[in-house]
């Protein structure tokens, strides 16, 4: 493992990797800074660029967009109280108050440094833990994989969507979409309705781009959103962050980093929850909690360190088990597949040096993030007031071009439009598309693993699963307990909200 | 009053629950016609897992969940979900969908640069951009830029056309 790590370090030290990561960070911060544009949308639209370059250039590029986007969302959150991404909602509690007090620059610098520290520490933790987890994952056979995918789907359905029934419906719809084409065991035709282009199934990439990028555009068109912010923002005379202030917030940054790192490893929870938990922990630990919500720098540090600390650990379930923890890692999975790589236990076994190279690149990206962010924040402040009527049509052209180039097939563009409409309707009706996307990706693997389990069981499935396979038994017995706990927590949260 | 009662019962949740119930029933009914049967081998099954087992499981679970969703929506107290879409918003979405479909279908026959330029100009104007200099510049410049990025830098193909051949000639002269 140590040799693989050293080889990974050597592999990651490439100029083109650094160049594309820097470009990714720049684009991510830019998109994150635009209110109404999400990091998810940016990663989905820029995904096709990663297909046609080396995996060690394309995947770090997307990771750069991801990291930059999560931080970029804090810029409009601090300046105009409009979170650029969901992860920056907790930043709006104190950011706009600091801007009103002429401390906008101070808040942006605190968000930047907290994000870099949170991201770097969590990436190092990821590198330390991913090897042992991958070794454990190697013990997984078809029954264990089927059980863990089933559990992951349930956890994602409960934690991502607001409503369990709606989440379950979306999950089953996702499995249905995945069943179109060929069955994964015998390659027999299913639900093709004699339409030739779907005989190989629904293409993943136009589906991902459609469901994550086009609905934002359609929602903006529905409102005919010309621009979000009209006024110009000037930070020239705003106060800068002092070392004493940074030192005062350091404990909060470390605490939130721990919270974000732990949350990142759980599939489906994500940055939004981490940011709120980081903020709440900072407030609880503070000797002056009354200042939170009235322009407290620790509030910014708590939320921003926590949401960026999620970035690295979300890759753990993806790289070791092939299970994406959230929408963004689902798109990253698409990038891996397009490169001919299948994340999971075998990827770590066969190409561990490349996996480590990607993780080392993530750590190095944070240093670039520190430098690029320092020089470009004033530029991104101006991006907050760019007109949406110019930017949104550009994203449409990029989405169409990106969906076309992979197979050069017009049918993929129809798939893109269909899933764009699907995503829009789902948003309007408050159905979360995450369980659908996860089920679409994991459904065939679940069916294949289940089929193999039946073959291995040789007629006595229950005996095989519960007696011969102890890990499967533990996962299956834990499933109702975890489900019950998550449902109880969600119910209690709703009751609290009502009260 | 009657319309209010109708709305009270048929909220968007109820309508979509009914939609998913219908969808799952149709799914279960078409399985025998839409799922290919495996060839039997020496009189036994060809595969360990029947290709129609998963579709059946998904169909039944989707039906069960949709019924639960319907019952819950019917007896739901408090504010019910209403589709937040007025006629103007609906019209905007319809126009956008027509633009998207036309763009998807015309990209191959008329070329990437031309179809993208027209789509950009229409969408920007439709979204209220009245600065025709920006509209014109962006509509022409961006498709050329994207075409150049994909075909020259990433070496993948986009539908060619008269304007792309002009770009090729300009690039050939430049290098």
């Amino acid at each position: 493992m140590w040799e693989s790590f050293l080889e990974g370090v050597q592999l990651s030290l490439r100029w083109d990797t650094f160049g594309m990561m820097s470009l990714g960070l720049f684009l991510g911060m830019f998109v994150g800074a635009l209110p109404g544009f999400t990091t998810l949308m940016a990663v989905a639209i820029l995904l096709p660029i990663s297909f046609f370059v080396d995996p060690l250039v394309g995947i770090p590029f997307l990771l750069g967009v991801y990291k930059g986007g999560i931080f970029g969302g804090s810029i409009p959150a601090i300046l105009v109280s409009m979170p650029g991404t969901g992860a920056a909602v907790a930043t709006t509690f104190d950011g706009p108050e600091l801007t009103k007090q002429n401390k906008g620059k101070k808040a942006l610098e605190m968000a930047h440094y907290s994000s870099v520290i949170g991201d770097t520490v969590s990436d190092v933790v990821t590198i330390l833990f991913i090897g042992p987890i991958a070794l454990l994952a190697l013990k997984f056979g078809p029954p264990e994989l089927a059980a863990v995918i089933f559990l992951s789907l349930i956890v994602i359905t409960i934690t991502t969507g607001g409503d369990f029934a709606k989440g379950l419906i979306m999950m089953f719809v996702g499995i249905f979409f995945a069943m179109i084409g060929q069955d994964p065991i015998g390659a027999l035709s299913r639900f093709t309705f004699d339409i030739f282009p779907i005989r190989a199934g629904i293409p993943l990439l136009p589906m991902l781009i459609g469901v994550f990028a086009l609905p934002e555009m359609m929602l903006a068109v529905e409102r005919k959103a010309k621009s979000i912010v009209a006024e110009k923002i000037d930070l020239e005379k705003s106060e800068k962050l002092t070392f004493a202030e940074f030192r005062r917030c350091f404990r909060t940054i470390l605490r939130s980093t721990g919270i974000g790192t732990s949350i990142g490893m759980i599939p489906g929870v994500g940055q939004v929850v981490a940011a709120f938990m980081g903020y709440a922990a900072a407030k609880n630990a503070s000797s002056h909690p009354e200042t939170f919500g009235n322009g407290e720098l620790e509030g910014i540090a708590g939320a921003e360190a926590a949401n960026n600390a999620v970035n690295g650990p979300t890759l753990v379930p993806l790289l070791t088990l092939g299970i994406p923890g959230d929408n963004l890692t689902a798109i990253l999975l698409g990038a891996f597949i397009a490169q001919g790589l299948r994340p999971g236990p075998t990827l770590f076994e066969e190409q561990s040096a490349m996996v480590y190279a990607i993780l080392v690149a993530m750590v190095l990206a944070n240093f670039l993030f520190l430098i690029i962010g320092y020089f470009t924040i004033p530029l991104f402040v101006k991006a907050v007031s760019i007109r949406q009527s110019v930017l949104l049509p550009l994203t449409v052209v990029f989405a169409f071009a990106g969906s076309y180039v992979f197979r050069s097939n017009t049918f993929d563009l129809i798939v893109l439009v269909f899933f764009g409409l699907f995503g829009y309707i789902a948003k309007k009706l408050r159905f979360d598309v995450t369980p659908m996307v996860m089920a679409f990706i994991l459904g065939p693997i679940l069916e294949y693993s289940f089929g193999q389990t039946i073959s291995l069981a040789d007629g006595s499935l229950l005996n095989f699963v519960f007696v011969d396979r102890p890990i499967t038994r533990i996962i299956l017995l834990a499933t109702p307990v975890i489900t019950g706990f998550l449902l109880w927590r969600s119910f209690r949260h709703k009751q609290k909200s009502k009260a | 009053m009657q319309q209010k009662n109708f709305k009270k019962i048929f909220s968007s949740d109820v309508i979509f629950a009914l939609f998913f119930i219908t969808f799952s029933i149709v799914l279960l009914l078409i399985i025998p016609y839409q799922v290919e049967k495996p060839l039997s081998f020496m009189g036994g099954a060809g595969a360990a897992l029947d290709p129609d087992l998963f579709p059946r499981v998904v169909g039944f679970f989707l039906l069960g969940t949709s019924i639960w969703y319907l019952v819950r929506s019917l007896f739901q107290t408090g504010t019910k979900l209403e589709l937040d879409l007025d006629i103007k918003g609906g019209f905007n979405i319809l126009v956008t969908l027509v633009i998207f479909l036309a763009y998807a279908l015309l990209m191959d026959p008329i070329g990437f640069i031309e179809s993208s330029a027209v789509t950009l100009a229409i969408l920007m104007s439709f979204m209220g951009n009245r600065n025709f200099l920006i509209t014109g510049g962006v509509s022409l410049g961006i498709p050329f830029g994207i075409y150049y990025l994909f075909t020259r830098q990433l070496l993948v193909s986009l539908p060619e056309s008269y304007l792309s051949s002009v770009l090729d000639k300009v690039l050939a002269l430049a290098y």
Side-chain angles (χ1 to χ4, degrees):
Chain A
M1 203 175 287
W2 178 242
E3 290 80 21
S4 301
F5 172 73
L6 290 178
E7 205 184 323
V9 173
Q10 282 179 330
L11 284 173
S12 64
L13 298 173
R14 289 170 49 167
W15 286 112
D16 46 359
T17 305
F18 277 81
M20 285 298 272
M21 264 189 325
S22 305
L23 179 67
L25 282 162
F26 183 86
L27 291 172
M29 279 190 250
F30 174 70
V31 174
L34 300 167
F37 282 67
T38 60
T39 312
L40 195 63
M41 189 177 173
V43 179
I45 288 169
L46 296 170
L47 170 68
I49 290 181
S50 72
F51 301 162
F52 309 106
V53 288
D54 191 277
L56 279 174
V57 176
I59 291 166
F61 165 72
L62 288 179
L63 290 169
V65 179
Y66 178 17
K67 284 170 183 283
I70 297 295
F71 162 69
S74 68
I75 298 172
I78 288 168
L79 299 176
V80 290
S81 194
M82 281 184 188
T85 59
V89 174
T91 311
T92 59
F93 299 159
D94 287 285
E97 281 301 317
L98 284 162
T99 304
K100 276 183 205 162
Q101 296 163 20
N102 204 26
K103 293 173 183 169
K105 200 173 209 170
K106 204 187 275 277
L108 286 172
E109 285 173 343
M110 179 52 83
H112 180 215
Y113 299 142
S114 314
S115 299
V116 171
I117 294 171
D119 220 331
T120 310
V121 174
S122 72
D123 288 347
V124 172
V125 172
T126 305
I127 290 175
L128 292 174
F129 279 92
I130 202 162
I133 294 172
L135 284 177
L136 182 72
L138 279 174
K139 295 194 186 306
F140 276 33
E144 290 78 18
L145 195 59
V148 87
I149 288 174
F150 180 69
L151 174 62
S152 302
L153 282 175
I154 295 287
V155 170
I156 289 164
T157 303
I158 299 171
T159 51
T160 53
D163 187 313
F164 186 46
K166 284 181 170 181
L168 277 179
I169 287 175
M170 289 304 264
M171 187 182 88
F172 291 124
V173 169
I175 298 178
F176 168 70
F177 283 142
M179 288 188 304
I180 294 173
Q182 293 175 336
D183 88 292
I185 296 167
L188 295 162
S189 163
R190 287 196 305 205
F191 305 110
T192 56
F193 301 95
D194 291 330
I195 302 167
F196 184 75
I198 56 168
R199 290 191 76 161
I202 292 174
L204 173 68
L205 302 163
M207 188 275 258
L208 287 175
I209 299 173
V211 91
F212 292 130
L214 290 194
E216 301 293 339
M217 165 77 191
M218 293 166 90
L219 286 170
V221 169
E222 186 196 316
R223 298 188 302 266
K224 284 227 177 166
K226 288 178 190 170
S227 66
I228 295 288
V229 185
E231 74 265 26
K232 293 264 179 277
I233 298 152
D234 187 14
L235 289 180
E236 283 301 309
K237 289 169 190 162
S238 180
E239 287 177 32
K240 291 184 93 176
L241 184 73
T242 62
F243 184 70
E245 285 167 330
F246 175 73
R247 205 173 51 185
R248 179 170 68 84
C249 296
F250 196 67
R251 192 187 284 258
T252 299
I253 294 172
L254 288 185
R255 188 189 311 108
S256 286
T257 301
I259 292 169
T261 307
S262 318
I263 285 176
M265 293 202 192
I266 308 165
V269 184
Q271 282 97 355
V272 183
V273 175
F276 276 102
M277 283 181 71
Y279 183 86
K283 192 176 175 181
N284 284 339
S286 173
S287 56
H288 45 82
E290 70 284 354
T291 57
F292 280 72
N294 297 313
E296 172 56 61
L297 270 176
E298 274 189 79
I300 304 279
E304 285 299 314
N307 67 26
N308 270 74
V310 171
N311 299 349
T314 45
L315 293 182
V316 173
L318 175 74
L319 293 173
T320 55
L321 294 167
I323 296 171
D326 58 12
N327 291 331
L328 276 158
T329 40
I331 298 175
L332 287 177
L333 177 65
F336 275 96
I337 292 170
Q339 293 276 5
L341 304 164
R342 183 90 226 179
T346 49
L347 177 72
F348 219 94
E349 194 179 30
E350 290 159 9
Q351 308 208 35
S352 56
M354 203 197 62
V355 175
Y356 276 119
I358 290 169
L359 295 173
V360 171
M362 281 182 75
V363 178
L364 297 175
N366 296 325
F367 295 103
L368 294 172
F369 181 15
L370 187 67
I371 299 162
I372 294 170
Y374 183 80
F375 288 107
T376 54
I377 284 175
L379 183 72
F380 297 128
V381 167
K382 289 189 172 62
V384 175
S385 50
I386 291 180
R387 293 172 77 89
Q388 283 208 330
S389 58
V390 175
L391 283 169
L392 280 167
L394 296 186
T395 64
V396 172
V397 173
F398 228 95
F400 274 72
S403 300
Y404 183 87
V405 290
F406 197 60
R407 299 197 308 176
S408 298
N409 193 336
T410 303
F411 179 76
D412 288 0
L413 300 179
I414 305 291
V415 172
L416 173 81
V417 176
F418 171 80
F419 279 99
L421 181 65
F422 182 91
Y424 166 76
I425 294 171
K427 260 191 188 246
K428 293 295 286 184
L429 294 166
R430 288 174 221 159
F431 278 87
D432 195 323
V433 292
T434 311
M436 188 278 283
V437 172
M438 296 298 168
F440 182 82
I441 291 169
L442 297 175
I445 310 170
L446 176 65
E447 188 175 356
Y448 186 68
S449 311
F450 185 60
Q452 283 184 311
T453 306
I454 289 179
S455 291
L456 290 168
D458 204 18
S460 55
L461 184 65
L462 286 178
N463 186 56
F464 175 67
V465 164
F466 284 100
V467 179
D468 298 348
R469 313 290 293 210
I471 300 177
T472 314
R473 184 174 63 221
I474 293 167
I475 299 168
L476 287 177
L477 291 174
T479 301
V481 179
I482 294 171
T483 308
F485 170 73
L486 291 172
L487 283 173
W488 169 77
R489 206 186 59 170
S490 161
F491 176 76
R492 207 182 57 164
H493 183 72
K494 274 182 193 159
Q495 294 294 103
K496 263 190 184 173
S497 304
K498 272 184 191 173
Chain B
M1 186 71 183
Q2 227 174 3
Q3 199 184 353
K4 261 191 175 175
N5 281 336
F6 178 83
K7 266 194 163 180
K8 214 173 170 183
I9 299 166
F10 288 95
S11 66
S12 298
D13 271 329
V14 173
I15 292 166
F16 276 85
L18 289 170
F19 168 79
F20 282 117
I21 289 171
T22 316
F23 177 77
S24 48
I25 292 169
V26 171
L27 174 67
L28 287 166
L29 290 176
I30 62 169
I31 285 171
Y33 310 100
Q34 282 298 323
V35 179
E36 205 181 328
K37 287 269 165 234
L39 293 171
S40 58
F41 180 69
M42 302 284 282
L49 190 69
D50 245 339
D52 64 359
L53 178 70
F54 246 61
R56 279 185 203 285
V57 171
V58 168
F60 278 115
F61 273 104
L62 184 58
L63 180 63
T65 315
S66 305
I67 292 170
W68 172 34
Y69 176 37
L70 174 71
V71 172
R72 220 196 45 185
S73 305
L74 282 172
F75 294 99
Q76 189 182 355
T77 53
T79 321
K80 292 193 175 185
L81 176 69
E82 288 302 335
L83 192 59
D84 165 34
L85 183 67
D86 55 18
I87 293 173
K88 203 177 163 197
F91 175 75
N92 291 344
I93 289 299
L94 197 67
V95 171
T96 314
L97 271 177
V98 171
I99 295 169
F100 283 176
L101 278 174
Y103 184 30
L105 296 171
L106 291 176
M107 192 191 278
D108 244 343
I110 71 166
F112 174 76
I113 296 177
E114 287 85 343
S115 59
S116 303
V118 173
T119 306
L120 272 173
I122 293 173
L123 277 175
M124 283 166 73
S125 308
F126 185 61
M127 286 191 72
N129 191 36
R130 294 288 172 261
N131 187 331
F132 293 106
L133 206 64
I134 291 177
T135 306
V138 169
S139 303
L140 273 176
I142 295 297
F144 271 109
I146 295 176
Y147 186 83
Y148 175 77
L149 172 72
F150 277 106
T151 60
R152 303 286 146 183
Q153 297 300 318
L154 300 172
L155 303 174
V156 287
S157 70
L158 279 170
E160 290 171 5
S161 62
Y162 173 72
L163 285 177
S164 61
S165 65
V166 170
L167 179 72
D168 288 341
K169 279 175 192 162
V170 171
L171 288 172
L173 281 175
Y175 296 105

